Amino acid sequence: MTEPAAVQPAARTAATSAAGPTGWTRSDYLKEILRAPVYEAAEHTPLQPMEALSSRLGCTVQVKREDLQAVHSFKIRGAYNAMRSLGEQERLRGVVTASAGNHAQGVARSAALLGMRALIVMPTVTPRIKVDAVRALGGEVRLAGDNFDAAKAEALRAAREEGLTYIAPFDDPRVIAGQGTVGLELIQQDADLDCVFVPVGGGGLASGVAVLVKQLMPEIRVIGVEHEESACLSAAVLAGQPVTLTRVGLFAEGVAVRRVGEETYRLCSELLDDVVTVSSDEVSAAVRDIFEDVRAISEPSGAIALAGLKRYAVDHDLHDQRLACVLSGANLNFHQLRYISERSEIGEQREAILGVRIPEEQGSFLRFAAVLGGRSVTEFNYRFSASRTEAEPARIFVGVRTTGGYQERAEIVADLEEAGYSAIDLTEDELAKVHVRSMIGGRAAAGVAERLFSFLFPESPGALLHFLEVLGTRWNITLFHYRTDGADYGRILCAFAAGPDDTELTEHMDRLGYTYNEETADPAARFFLGR
């Protein structure tokens, strides 16, 4: 887990009323939010108590149910506000945007209500369910490019050549103001709030909520929450200006933005009280909290704010505070629930993942279980190997139910080592949780040099064929594991018979065009898969 990254205090106190590059002052935003006609398209969503979580944290926790919008996301607010402000000729020509997610549906729905043409450019790897959802709302879909940047380039080209108006997903004052109506509702629904937690992707929602709340009720703290694999606002604050991330993780797809907007950065850096980053495991635990308390199923990015709320409350030892978070969306791919369920226990510090060496003899598992002191075993992976010598211990992958977080995990490892076992804590090892737990029982052959790589693999027809064609037949593949969590990208773990000095292999990796990392030295891989 990463530590909270505070917004620089100097930035929060400067430029209290100056206009940014767009020419909009905070006063301009306040006026636009107060008169935004978003309720022609959007719902006034409830602020719902989370009683079980409130009891656990010792604070009053409430969730703003933006998943109850017609498009199951807050994005309808900003899209409609921006499109409603267009002139007659602009409406006649129509609009265009690039999105594979909630913004696409917000634009399509708004266009249908306003009687306008809406061209939505989506990457070719966009799952069919999302394409069909946009078309069902009346949007005209054009598939272009294999990533968001390529789709955006096509959308901007269409705007220039076809006379369409480009509707930005976040870095536009009227989009920001539309999202700001969420903040207005929050303080109307609970004027005694102490903190509001808002997810940050490109920064539109966080900017809109902060610019409203800080002018009307500045004593309320507004906290931005980012996923640690797409923390573009934190990177911008550190650099003093927006920067482009080299890569972003795609688990929380709705906030997987490589670069925060110019205007949203200005507002967030001036107005947010803090920025917190959270992990996929923490987000998964927050998805479960939402389901258990209010019976809503959030998409991962929709639960980001709650994950940040929980982290912030613990790190700052909050008690008797009134806390609210925004459930920003519920457009979840159903198959992603398997991954979320699996990871939620770890995110809540309720499960430890261990690699343990135990003697290859009868009764070993019984003696091992006794050392755990009555703790429940949640997973136990082992396979007998006839090639193992009698003196060589077996290696097991084991999950153990816990309640005490890192300290209890350390105690379990210490107890096992005191009993004569060799153990390693793999709870924070991503490779162990995604791939290795499914691959116990096979190890590299003796005498074979092997290099291991992980890939983010686009879920599209022909992707595997392209993968193999680019690699060619120069290297023998010695290990292959594919895992999808229901997102646009699957995950592949692949090993090649190659030595550490084989630079030609990595040159081929670069030609693939996929995001990859070498994992040869990963502890879980060395423990279970290496020789």
Side-chain angles (χ1 to χ4, degrees):
M1 297 187 296
T2 58
E3 293 300 318
V7 176
Q8 297 170 349
R12 293 202 300 269
T13 57
T16 56
S17 61
T22 63
W24 284 54
T25 66
R26 296 182 191 176
S27 177
D28 293 329
Y29 276 107
L30 180 58
K31 292 175 184 177
E32 182 71 14
I33 293 170
L34 292 175
R35 66 188 182 193
V38 297
Y39 300 107
E40 296 172 4
E43 300 294 329
H44 192 292
T45 57
L47 182 62
Q48 194 167 353
M50 298 186 67
E51 296 179 359
L53 184 58
S54 296
S55 178
R56 279 163 46 200
L57 293 180
C59 292
T60 299
V61 179
Q62 300 173 89
V63 59
K64 179 68 169 162
R65 295 289 305 278
E66 284 299 290
D67 59 304
L68 297 178
Q69 297 291 356
V71 295
H72 308 294
S73 157
F74 74 95
K75 287 286 190 177
I76 185 68
R77 296 174 183 262
Y80 188 83
N81 194 55
M83 293 166 65
R84 178 72 158 68
S85 68
L86 297 178
E88 182 179 353
Q89 291 303 311
E90 291 173 309
R91 291 195 190 192
L92 288 174
R93 289 192 295 269
V95 299
V96 61
T97 195
S99 173
N102 294 333
H103 179 62
Q105 296 186 52
V107 170
R109 171 69 174 167
S110 298
L113 293 172
L114 294 168
M116 299 164 56
R117 177 196 177 196
L119 173 61
I120 316 294
V121 184
M122 309 179 84
T124 56
V125 297
T126 304
R128 177 59 54 184
I129 187 173
K130 295 185 178 181
V131 174
D132 291 344
V134 171
R135 285 177 174 154
L137 290 167
E140 175 188 333
V141 175
R142 180 179 299 174
L143 299 177
D146 59 3
N147 56 49
F148 173 76
D149 290 337
K152 181 179 179 181
E154 170 60 20
L156 293 174
R157 185 204 64 77
R160 292 191 305 269
E161 298 182 8
E162 301 178 35
L164 304 173
T165 299
Y166 181 72
I167 304 298
F170 47 82
D171 205 22
D172 177 283
R174 287 189 169 83
V175 171
I176 293 169
Q179 320 301 27
T181 59
V182 172
L184 181 60
E185 291 177 22
L186 279 167
I187 62 175
Q188 290 172 336
Q189 290 166 319
D190 189 346
D192 296 319
L193 286 172
D194 293 295
C195 296
V196 171
F197 295 81
V198 191
V200 179
L205 178 61
S207 297
V209 170
V211 78
L212 181 285
V213 171
K214 285 301 180 181
Q215 290 186 86
L216 298 185
M217 302 191 72
E219 69 276 12
I220 298 177
R221 293 174 63 82
V222 182
I223 316 295
V225 187
E226 296 186 288
H227 192 278
E228 63 184 7
E229 295 180 355
S230 55
C232 60
L233 176 57
S234 296
V237 169
L238 187 63
Q241 62 182 358
V243 295
T244 302
L245 301 180
T246 303
R247 56 164 293 188
V248 296
L250 295 168
F251 169 68
E253 183 185 14
V255 293
V257 176
R258 294 177 63 197
R259 184 185 178 93
V260 70
E262 298 288 336
E263 179 70 350
T264 56
Y265 165 70
R266 179 182 77 88
L267 293 171
C268 285
S269 62
E270 291 175 4
L271 297 169
L272 290 182
D273 293 284
D274 213 339
V275 180
V276 179
T277 57
V278 293
S279 68
S280 295
D281 292 345
E282 290 173 300
V283 173
S284 296
V287 171
R288 188 178 67 179
D289 287 325
I290 290 170
F291 175 76
E292 291 181 346
D293 247 325
V294 301
R295 291 299 185 266
I297 300 178
S298 169
E299 63 185 280
S301 60
I304 284 273
L306 179 60
L309 181 156
K310 292 169 60 182
R311 163 73 80 83
Y312 192 88
V314 172
D315 287 350
H316 291 77
D317 195 26
L318 299 185
H319 297 284
D320 301 320
Q321 298 272 295
R322 299 188 68 82
L323 313 177
C325 63
V326 181
L327 196 177
S328 57
N331 288 304
L332 176 77
N333 288 327
F334 181 78
H335 294 294
Q336 207 169 6
L337 284 172
R338 177 182 63 180
Y339 176 91
I340 292 169
S341 175
E342 188 175 87
R343 300 294 285 266
S344 64
E345 290 292 298
I346 296 174
E348 202 60 66
Q349 300 291 311
R350 295 175 180 172
E351 185 180 32
I353 299 297
L354 307 171
V356 184
R357 292 184 178 90
I358 66 174
E360 183 69 271
E361 59 187 29
Q362 290 183 348
S364 288
F365 183 28
L366 178 61
R367 290 191 294 275
F368 167 79
V371 175
L372 295 178
R375 295 183 180 91
S376 297
V377 173
T378 59
E379 183 171 0
F380 189 92
N381 292 331
Y382 157 74
R383 189 178 189 282
F384 173 76
S385 174
S387 63
R388 185 185 293 118
T389 66
E390 291 186 3
E392 185 178 357
R395 303 187 183 206
I396 62 171
F397 184 102
V398 61
V400 181
R401 185 80 66 203
T402 64
T403 57
Y406 176 81
Q407 182 176 350
E408 184 177 0
R409 283 157 37 200
E411 291 172 357
I412 293 173
V413 171
D415 289 345
L416 289 170
E417 291 181 343
E418 185 178 348
Y421 299 103
S422 174
I424 179 173
D425 185 357
L426 300 173
T427 310
E428 305 295 338
D429 191 304
E430 189 71 7
L431 204 72
K433 294 180 285 188
V434 174
H435 294 290
V436 173
R437 73 192 317 162
S438 303
M439 303 177 68
I440 306 304
R443 298 175 62 77
V448 174
E450 193 174 62
R451 293 177 69 181
L452 189 66
F453 295 85
S454 62
F455 297 87
L456 284 179
F457 208 65
E459 295 281 10
S460 62
L464 178 59
L465 178 62
H466 174 63
F467 179 91
L468 296 173
E469 286 175 342
V470 174
L471 285 177
T473 56
R474 166 71 172 75
W475 297 275
N476 183 38
I477 294 177
T478 57
L479 174 152
F480 195 91
H481 182 252
Y482 164 71
R483 171 72 181 269
T484 180
D485 57 19
D488 294 356
Y489 281 71
R491 304 180 187 221
I492 280 180
L493 186 67
C494 187
F496 304 90
D501 299 325
D502 191 339
T503 57
E504 189 179 351
L505 176 60
T506 52
E507 290 172 0
H508 270 61
M509 298 296 176
D510 293 335
R511 286 176 51 198
L512 276 169
Y514 302 148
T515 299
Y516 75 90
N517 285 304
E518 182 159 7
E519 309 284 6
T520 307
D522 180 87
R526 291 171 62 86
F527 191 90
F528 287 108
L529 306 176
R531 173 55 58 185

